[in-house]
Amino acid sequence: MDRHREELATEGYTVVRDAMSPQQLADVRAAFQLHNPDGKHPSGAPSELLHGACLVCKHRAFRAVAMQPTVLGIVEGLLGEDCVLSSSNSAHREPGCEAQGLHRDTSIWGPSMPLFSESVGIQTAWCVDDFSEQTGGTRLVPRSHRASTGATGTIGPGKGAPNAATAAEQAAAITVTAPAGSIILF
């Protein structure tokens, strides 16, 4: 856990491989199938991007992975034992859909984020499938968690909308690769 906490502190992300057992991974996949059997958006329309909200309320498989001991230990080690799970959502992108733009998932803190001396939040991405360049894995900018400008640090026009990423930020972005069953913390 110390290595993962150090990577979070310095790089802004870490990958915990084999965070889900093969059975947990099968359970999560089955739970997604149960709640979205036809692969369509809940509105009934085909979708390039499927979202699910409040997953821990929908199936025990999601509650089990939210309480995964290694991940919980890393999170509690950084945020404290009184940390709160504020959301448990899913996003599924189909092959060929447009990549999501670079943004910071901290619009409620916006430009003040670099002023915090301690971490105030951690995002996790559970890899139900392999994450790679080819499969559209999560893109991030290493060490941007303390940035004070640009798409990763400021709030742009509109309600919580990030500014467009600069060419330098786009060039610095990496695709995090991880096999199914891993979890990415950032």
Side-chain angles (χ1 to χ4, degrees):
M1 282 193 245
D2 289 340
R3 177 179 63 84
H4 293 296
R5 287 185 195 130
E6 180 64 25
E7 286 177 357
L8 276 169
T10 60
E11 296 301 307
Y13 76 100
T14 190
V15 177
V16 179
R17 296 184 184 280
D18 300 316
M20 285 187 274
S21 71
Q23 185 60 56
Q24 282 179 312
L25 186 56
D27 290 348
V28 167
R29 286 177 173 156
F32 277 122
Q33 184 66 26
L34 177 69
H35 288 284
N36 190 25
D38 61 4
K40 292 184 178 177
H41 191 276
S43 70
S47 176
E48 292 182 336
L49 176 61
L50 299 176
H51 283 287
C54 196
L55 296 178
V56 296
C57 298
K58 294 180 177 169
H59 198 278
R60 64 176 171 71
F62 302 122
R63 290 188 293 278
V65 294
M67 299 301 292
Q68 199 276 357
T70 301
V71 174
L72 196 56
I74 294 166
V75 172
E76 287 180 344
L78 287 170
L79 300 180
E81 291 182 10
D82 61 344
C83 62
V84 174
L85 173 65
S86 63
S87 66
S88 57
N89 306 317
S90 68
H92 171 84
R93 291 190 176 275
E94 290 294 318
C97 74
E98 187 175 326
Q100 187 176 26
L102 291 176
H103 66 281
R104 184 175 238 177
D105 287 343
T106 57
S107 60
I108 61 171
W109 299 295
S112 65
M113 182 54 106
L115 303 178
F116 292 120
S117 61
E118 298 178 2
S119 297
V120 294
I122 296 174
Q123 295 285 14
T124 60
W126 290 89
C127 303
V128 178
D129 296 306
D130 292 341
F131 275 38
S132 70
E133 188 80 36
Q134 294 74 28
T135 61
T138 296
R139 294 175 61 230
L140 57 82
V141 179
R143 296 168 297 287
S144 64
H145 57 304
R146 295 291 181 203
S148 60
T149 62
T152 58
T154 62
I155 296 175
K159 185 176 181 178
N163 289 331
T166 66
E169 289 163 334
Q170 290 288 354
I174 64 166
T175 299
V176 181
T177 59
S182 301
I183 181 172
I184 304 164
L185 293 94
F186 52 99

